[in-house]
Amino acid sequence: QVQLVESGGGSVPAGGSLRLSCTYSGATNNDYSDYCMGWLRQAPGAEREPVALIRRDVTTYVDSVKGRFTASQDTLKNTLYLQMNNLQPEDSAMYFCAASYRPFSGCAAGDPTSPRTFRAQGQGTQVTVSA
């Protein structure tokens, strides 16, 4: 069973930057090649939405963060990262690291046909951006 632990949230003014990290473990033979992994966020009163997803070195983003956020994966360290630049107040949310074994179905942030549920999620880290 995959387990994930996030770190790196905090409070910044608009225009600031933060970097989130997520260490993961638990896949059979440490093989995550068929996993859809990435970052979700949930603002108060809103649904949890995928922000950036990675599978087999392909990364996708929801439109609202394109050009500002960069997701990456270090497979040697079993760590995901989310570099967030030019943060805006609307980016304020709880951010969750997530993973699901998903070799065939969709893994694309912002794609309404891709499943939005993930079997494993971390405890979340808060990001707050002040105007």
Side-chain angles (χ1 to χ4, degrees):
Q1 188 167 349
V2 173
Q3 295 180 319
L4 310 109
V5 179
E6 306 97 336
S7 61
S11 297
V12 296
S17 297
L18 284 172
R19 187 194 198 203
L20 306 183
S21 300
C22 169
T23 56
Y24 51 87
S25 62
T28 301
N29 297 323
N30 200 42
D31 183 1
Y32 296 89
S33 57
D34 285 330
Y35 277 76
C36 178
M37 308 183 72
W39 297 92
L40 318 177
R41 70 182 179 187
Q42 186 170 21
E47 291 187 355
R48 195 169 297 187
E49 65 166 351
V51 173
L53 298 176
I54 301 174
R55 185 176 63 187
R56 302 186 196 118
D57 295 326
V58 175
T59 306
T60 58
Y61 302 91
V62 68
D63 284 347
S64 60
V65 307
K66 286 180 180 176
R68 301 188 297 122
F69 289 14
T70 302
S72 60
Q73 182 177 22
D74 186 332
T75 56
L76 294 180
K77 296 182 178 180
N78 276 16
T79 302
L80 292 171
Y81 302 98
L82 185 66
Q83 178 66 44
M84 303 183 293
N85 297 330
N86 191 22
L87 282 159
Q88 300 300 314
E90 54 266 31
D91 296 316
S92 296
M94 187 73 79
Y95 283 71
F96 300 87
C97 185
S100 268
Y101 179 74
R102 196 182 295 173
F104 305 115
S105 56
C107 179
D111 182 351
T113 66
S114 285
R116 295 166 65 96
T117 57
F118 288 79
R119 190 174 183 88
Q121 297 185 33
Q123 80 285 356
T125 186
Q126 180 67 41
V127 171
T128 302
V129 185
S130 57

